Amino acid sequence: MKIINQHYINSHFVKSNGNEVEDLINPTTKKLIGRVTLGNEKDVQTAIAAAKEAFKLFSKTTIEERSNMLQRLHDAIMDKAEILAQASVEEYGSPASASYGRTVFAAKTFLFTKEALQEFEFERSMGKTKVIMEPLGVIGAITPWNANYTHICGKIAPAIATGCTIVVKPSEISALQTKLLMECINEANIPAGVINIVNGSGAVVGAEMTRHPDIAKISFTGSTNVGKLISKGAVDTLKRLALELGGKSPNIILEDANFNEAIPMAVSIGFSNTGQACHAGTRLIVPENRLEEVKKLIKEAVKSMKLGNPVEEDTILGPLVSQKQFDTVQRYIKIAIDEGAELVTGGLGHPEGFEDGYFVKPTVFANVTNDMTIAREEIFGPVLSIITYKTEEQAIEIANDTIYGLAAYVSSSNLEKAKNIASKIVAGRVLINKGVHDDPYAPFGGFKQSGIGRDSGIYGLEEHVEPKAILSYKE
Ligand code: NDP
């Protein structure tokens, strides 16, 4: 059993001041695999003080120096990529088939950001005025458990690139993964105090970061409800906010799409990361007259996805991360049945033979209307809702009838038509005839209650700087 009782502050592994301890459970077996000591306010205050001090010199570093640091962070993570990937299989239940690729993607974030940095204009001219894009200061990053490395690296990279320092509070149920990442960061030899990581609960460590006057900006990824709490907590110090929140993303299949490709892809999009993905396309919007064909293709697609032990290379669907997540998904399946949705496949309970872990049955409902609970609320598990439309206008209306606006998907054999539909969807990203978010330079973030601000590439860098205008700079 692994004991995690240290934070990473000022380039040192320091013992936690907190005395609250949380168990770390392997979701595949429900066995205890570790314990993490949660930090308290004092721990995070020490980390913020270190980051504030480090900012004085770090904000003055050159683009070349910071590019080299981004490269070193990438290299240090790549050196341990196998071990990191294994930890996410053990602690999070992420299928091995996806874990390594996701870890490499997290490492590559530093290289993509390094490229964006070469193009970023820190000095701009507006008539006679010079505009200098200054680093914001200390960034407070708060991240969720789904794709721990992706989220932490995605927060650290733009901070380093722009000359900001950072304090990260990851999800405490990812503590084994975070510990390994801290070791990689330590290997990268970044100046003391620039990157700090404090384990702890959102209610204690996260809340202290949110209200602390020396944090310039909270960069948060997580649920919409917690995003709202953070917004309220940050108001007294008027902190800048970047909020990457939840979604209920629509996937519109147009009449002319190749259904033999589009429907299996729709299942992959809906069940991405065992449904624990913010951008999962969980509302499948299909032509009414093709419903029976869709149901048949869905059943075949779900059957072909192997659910199993995440260590096995051919497993696509693993367990959910925790008992809490398992219970949430069960609750939504029950609500859907009670509200009259038609079960196409899956349902309540564990899949047969998988009673020992937090496994759920991949579940698809038909005859869902957009006012049903499962069509409106984020479930964060492998539960897909099929909603039918009569006209394309109605499909767009259904797609946009949501409080969220993170991602959307359109399938059609006519690219121009798909582009036209994409232009009418209210979402931060629309993917045409594909389900993989593989463009690292494209901005990522949400409209409406899916968030504020954008991650990735130049857009991610813009989030970490503040324009200072010097008037009469030129004659
Ligand atoms: P939560 O919102 O529950 O938690 C996210 C982080 O916020 C955790 O570190 C949590 O700590 C912390 N937190 C909780 N309460 C507070 C508080 N009062 N003040 C400050 N911090 C707090 O999300 P989950 O971890 O359950 O992750 C799933 C959610 O994340 C889904 O809604 C999903 O859509 C969203 N998400 C969004 C993405 C995007 O890019 N838009 C990407 C990935 C996920 P603790 O661990 O103690 O609860």
Side-chain angles (χ1 to χ4, degrees), residues 143-146 169 172 202 220 222-223 244-246 278 378 380 444:
T143 58
W145 44 264
N146 79 326
K169 188 219 92 66
E172 67 268 20
F220 171 73
S223 63
E244 297 291 344
L245 309 177
C278 53
E378 186 185 48
F380 228 56
F444 187 80

Side-chain angles (χ1 to χ4, degrees), residues 280-475:
T282 49
R283 290 184 300 140
L284 181 58
I285 303 172
V286 303
E288 191 179 71
N289 59 337
R290 307 285 292 272
L291 179 60
E292 290 312 312
E293 185 185 349
V294 168
K295 288 200 276 188
K296 185 172 161 283
L297 288 168
I298 289 257
K299 279 187 196 161
E300 287 167 11
V302 174
K303 214 170 160 193
S304 73
M305 293 174 109
K306 185 185 159 190
L307 179 142
N309 190 323
V311 297
E312 289 162 13
E313 275 300 327
D314 55 348
T315 293
I316 306 284
L317 299 166
L320 298 182
V321 72
S322 62
Q323 182 71 50
K324 184 175 161 216
Q325 217 48 38
F326 176 87
D327 293 341
T328 302
V329 170
Q330 296 303 304
R331 185 166 58 79
Y332 277 111
I333 294 175
K334 169 104 180 34
I335 290 173
I337 294 167
D338 290 348
E339 289 184 6
E342 172 198 337
L343 195 57
V344 176
T345 183
L348 285 165
H350 292 282
E352 213 183 309
F354 291 94
E355 292 78 10
D356 291 341
Y358 303 126
F359 291 90
V360 297
K361 295 178 190 164
T363 298
V364 182
F365 286 102
N367 283 335
V368 177
T369 52
N370 208 40
D371 56 355
M372 285 184 185
T373 307
I374 52 161
R376 303 213 73 76
E377 296 182 15
E378 186 185 48
I379 300 174
F380 228 56
V383 181
L384 189 57
S385 298
I386 306 174
I387 305 170
T388 56
Y389 66 85
K390 287 192 175 69
T391 63
E392 282 171 12
E393 287 66 35
Q394 197 190 2
I396 295 163
E397 213 172 281
I398 294 167
N400 290 336
D401 178 19
T402 168
I403 60 164
Y404 296 110
L406 190 59
Y409 306 82
V410 182
S411 283
S412 170
S413 57
N414 180 336
L415 186 59
E416 289 313 309
K417 202 172 182 185
K419 284 186 197 166
N420 179 39
I421 300 275
S423 73
K424 294 175 181 162
I425 294 180
V426 185
R429 257 191 192 188
V430 187
L431 279 71
I432 296 176
N433 292 331
K434 67 186 279 176
V436 183
H437 292 252
D438 56 2
D439 183 350
Y441 310 103
F444 187 80
F447 281 52
K448 301 192 272 182
Q449 294 191 34
S450 284
I452 297 173
R454 294 291 180 273
D455 275 350
S456 292
I458 296 282
Y459 291 86
L461 299 186
E462 291 283 355
E463 292 283 331
H464 291 73
V465 290
E466 188 105 77
K468 180 199 275 178
I470 304 179
L471 276 64
S472 313
Y473 194 86
K474 288 184 200 155
E475 286 292 304

